[in-house]
Amino acid sequence: MPTVSPERDRIILELLYGSGLRASEVIGVNVDDFRDEDAMVIRGKGRKERFVIFGEYAQAALSAWLTHSSRTARQDAA
Protein backbone atom coordinates (compact mmCIF):
# COMPACT_ATOMS: atom_id res chain seq x y z
CA MET A 1 0.00 0.00 0.00
CA PRO A 2 1.44 3.42 -0.93
CA THR A 3 2.44 5.67 1.91
CA VAL A 4 0.78 9.02 2.38
CA SER A 5 3.11 11.97 1.97
CA PRO A 6 2.84 15.65 2.85
CA GLU A 7 3.89 16.43 -0.74
CA ARG A 8 0.85 14.56 -2.07
CA ASP A 9 -1.47 16.31 0.37
CA ARG A 10 -0.07 19.72 -0.55
CA ILE A 11 -0.56 19.29 -4.30
CA ILE A 12 -4.12 18.11 -3.69
CA LEU A 13 -4.91 21.20 -1.62
CA GLU A 14 -3.13 23.56 -4.02
CA LEU A 15 -5.08 22.17 -7.00
CA LEU A 16 -8.38 22.46 -5.12
CA TYR A 17 -7.69 26.01 -3.98
CA GLY A 18 -5.60 27.41 -6.82
CA SER A 19 -7.48 26.08 -9.81
CA GLY A 20 -11.06 25.71 -8.63
CA LEU A 21 -11.18 22.00 -9.41
CA ARG A 22 -13.83 19.83 -7.82
CA ALA A 23 -12.66 17.18 -5.34
CA SER A 24 -13.89 14.45 -7.71
CA GLU A 25 -11.76 15.96 -10.50
CA VAL A 26 -8.62 16.09 -8.36
CA ILE A 27 -9.11 12.46 -7.35
CA GLY A 28 -9.06 11.47 -11.01
CA VAL A 29 -5.88 13.39 -11.94
CA ASN A 30 -3.01 11.39 -13.43
CA VAL A 31 0.56 12.53 -14.09
CA ASP A 32 -0.19 12.34 -17.83
CA ASP A 33 -2.90 15.02 -17.39
CA PHE A 34 -0.28 17.74 -16.78
CA ARG A 35 0.45 19.39 -20.13
CA ASP A 36 2.73 22.26 -19.18
CA GLU A 37 4.30 23.35 -15.94
CA ASP A 38 1.21 25.45 -15.24
CA ALA A 39 -1.65 23.67 -17.04
CA MET A 40 -3.49 20.39 -17.18
CA VAL A 41 -6.39 18.66 -18.89
CA ILE A 42 -9.26 17.66 -16.63
CA ARG A 43 -12.15 15.35 -17.33
CA GLY A 44 -15.12 16.83 -15.49
CA LYS A 45 -18.80 16.17 -15.32
CA GLY A 46 -20.02 14.13 -18.25
CA ARG A 47 -16.37 13.18 -19.01
CA LYS A 48 -15.93 16.51 -20.81
CA GLU A 49 -12.33 17.63 -21.08
CA ARG A 50 -11.21 21.15 -20.24
CA PHE A 51 -7.89 22.93 -20.01
CA VAL A 52 -7.11 24.20 -16.48
CA ILE A 53 -4.28 26.50 -15.45
CA PHE A 54 -2.83 26.76 -11.96
CA GLY A 55 -0.50 29.15 -10.19
CA GLU A 56 3.04 29.14 -8.91
CA TYR A 57 2.22 27.61 -5.51
CA ALA A 58 0.61 24.62 -7.22
CA GLN A 59 3.58 24.44 -9.60
CA ALA A 60 5.98 24.26 -6.65
CA ALA A 61 3.81 21.64 -4.93
CA LEU A 62 3.67 19.59 -8.14
CA SER A 63 7.45 19.71 -8.52
CA ALA A 64 7.96 18.63 -4.89
CA TRP A 65 5.44 15.80 -5.24
CA LEU A 66 6.99 14.51 -8.49
CA THR A 67 10.45 14.57 -6.93
CA HIS A 68 9.20 12.75 -3.84
CA SER A 69 7.19 10.16 -5.77
CA SER A 70 10.04 9.34 -8.18
CA ARG A 71 12.45 8.97 -5.24
CA THR A 72 9.96 6.69 -3.47
CA ALA A 73 9.45 4.61 -6.61
CA ARG A 74 13.23 4.12 -6.98
CA GLN A 75 13.48 3.01 -3.34
CA ASP A 76 10.59 0.58 -3.78
CA ALA A 77 12.23 -0.90 -6.88
CA ALA A 78 15.52 -1.53 -5.06
Side-chain angles (χ1 to χ4, degrees):
M1 183 164 105
T3 58
V4 177
S5 71
E7 293 85 2
R8 183 207 65 161
D9 294 346
R10 182 166 174 230
I11 187 60
I12 289 171
L13 292 173
E14 289 293 345
L15 288 174
L16 287 169
Y17 179 76
S19 65
L21 293 174
R22 298 175 184 93
S24 60
E25 293 170 332
V26 172
I27 289 170
V29 170
N30 295 310
V31 173
D32 295 338
D33 295 332
F34 293 94
R35 296 294 187 245
D36 296 316
E37 64 181 44
D38 67 344
M40 59 194 297
V41 174
I42 292 295
R43 282 164 295 288
K45 289 184 175 182
R47 303 300 293 166
K48 294 180 184 174
E49 289 189 354
R50 71 181 196 278
F51 195 68
V52 177
I53 59 170
F54 49 89
E56 62 185 78
Y57 293 112
Q59 289 174 26
L62 175 63
S63 177
W65 176 69
L66 290 173
T67 300
H68 172 79
S69 62
S70 67
R71 187 174 354 133
T72 303
R74 284 193 307 270
Q75 290 172 351
D76 290 345

